[in-house]
Amino acid sequence: DHFFAISLPTLGIISAWSNRFTRRRLEERAWEQRVEEARERRLREDPLVSEIELRRQEAALEWSAYGKPRQLEEEKQRRMEERRQQAEQSGRRRRVAVADAEDFDEDDEDLERRTYRMTDAEIDRFETDFGIDFDPYYDDPYTEEELPSDISFRLDKKYGDRIYENGEIFYKDKATGLFYRQGAKPKNLAFWK
């Protein structure tokens, strides 16, 4: 007798959970793909390094339920200090646009005009924590004004994400209101909230 009274609310709840899970999984998969591409690039550039060694390094960088071992934390601090010293000695800037991102045609002036950028310390920490190079194309957040305006998009009503006609997705971070390109480190990690 109460088939619709029970089944319709149940379907609504299942749909809400599955949408949240799908969004989170898409975001994580794009990040995993970027990490995989960085691993393949390192294997091509350095033939002396094996894939097993790279995976061992990546596993050491991952957090466990018990936190990071103290040795890894000390090693991370040492590597960060070495990179900082190398950058100071060479006099080069840390913020360089990566040329292999196909549609990224911003020059240094555009990067300097961006409202929100990662600091050099945040970049060092990012590169050390995740083992991939910083790429402003993915890793710097975008304000709503900085998003592409010449391409039509669909706005996700629940999360505020922008899904563009050309396939690009910009995820909106609820806490800050900033947008992150698909392929950035996932920001919206709380599934049960």
Side-chain angles (χ1 to χ4, degrees), residues 132-186:
I132 64 172
D133 293 332
F134 169 79
D135 185 349
Y137 177 75
Y138 292 110
D139 301 318
D140 276 340
Y142 295 81
T143 62
E144 194 165 349
E145 294 79 29
E146 295 171 335
L147 294 175
S149 58
D150 56 341
I151 304 170
S152 62
F153 64 89
R154 182 174 54 87
L155 187 65
D156 184 314
K157 292 180 178 142
K158 184 170 184 175
Y159 299 107
D161 301 339
R162 288 190 176 196
I163 303 162
Y164 284 86
E165 195 174 80
N166 64 358
E168 285 185 306
I169 300 175
F170 286 86
Y171 296 104
K172 186 172 185 177
D173 184 13
K174 289 181 182 179
T176 62
L178 297 173
F179 290 85
Y180 291 86
R181 187 181 297 269
Q182 186 174 20
K185 175 70 179 149

Side-chain angles (χ1 to χ4, degrees), residues 110-152:
D110 289 337
L111 286 175
E112 296 300 323
R113 277 187 264 148
R114 298 277 309 272
T115 308
Y116 295 95
R117 295 185 319 245
M118 290 176 74
T119 64
D120 288 341
E122 291 172 330
I123 291 170
D124 287 339
R125 184 165 178 84
F126 175 86
E127 290 176 345
T128 304
D129 285 349
F130 302 116
I132 64 172
D133 293 332
F134 169 79
D135 185 349
Y137 177 75
Y138 292 110
D139 301 318
D140 276 340
Y142 295 81
T143 62
E144 194 165 349
E145 294 79 29
E146 295 171 335
L147 294 175
S149 58
D150 56 341
I151 304 170
S152 62

Side-chain angles (χ1 to χ4, degrees), residues 38 70 76:
R70 191 168 132 207
K76 182 176 83 169

Side-chain angles (χ1 to χ4, degrees), residues 71-126:
Q71 294 173 344
L72 292 177
E73 197 65 36
E74 291 170 358
E75 182 180 335
K76 182 176 83 169
Q77 293 295 332
R78 183 184 52 78
R79 282 186 291 173
M80 204 159 80
E81 185 61 34
E82 287 174 1
R83 283 185 181 170
R84 188 174 295 120
Q85 288 174 355
Q86 288 174 352
E88 288 174 4
Q89 289 173 356
S90 65
R92 66 180 172 86
R93 294 183 65 216
R94 295 285 304 164
R95 301 178 80 46
V96 178
V98 177
D100 57 276
E102 296 99 20
D103 298 330
F104 192 60
D105 57 356
E106 293 183 345
D107 56 4
D108 287 335
E109 292 177 12
D110 289 337
L111 286 175
E112 296 300 323
R113 277 187 264 148
R114 298 277 309 272
T115 308
Y116 295 95
R117 295 185 319 245
M118 290 176 74
T119 64
D120 288 341
E122 291 172 330
I123 291 170
D124 287 339
R125 184 165 178 84
F126 175 86

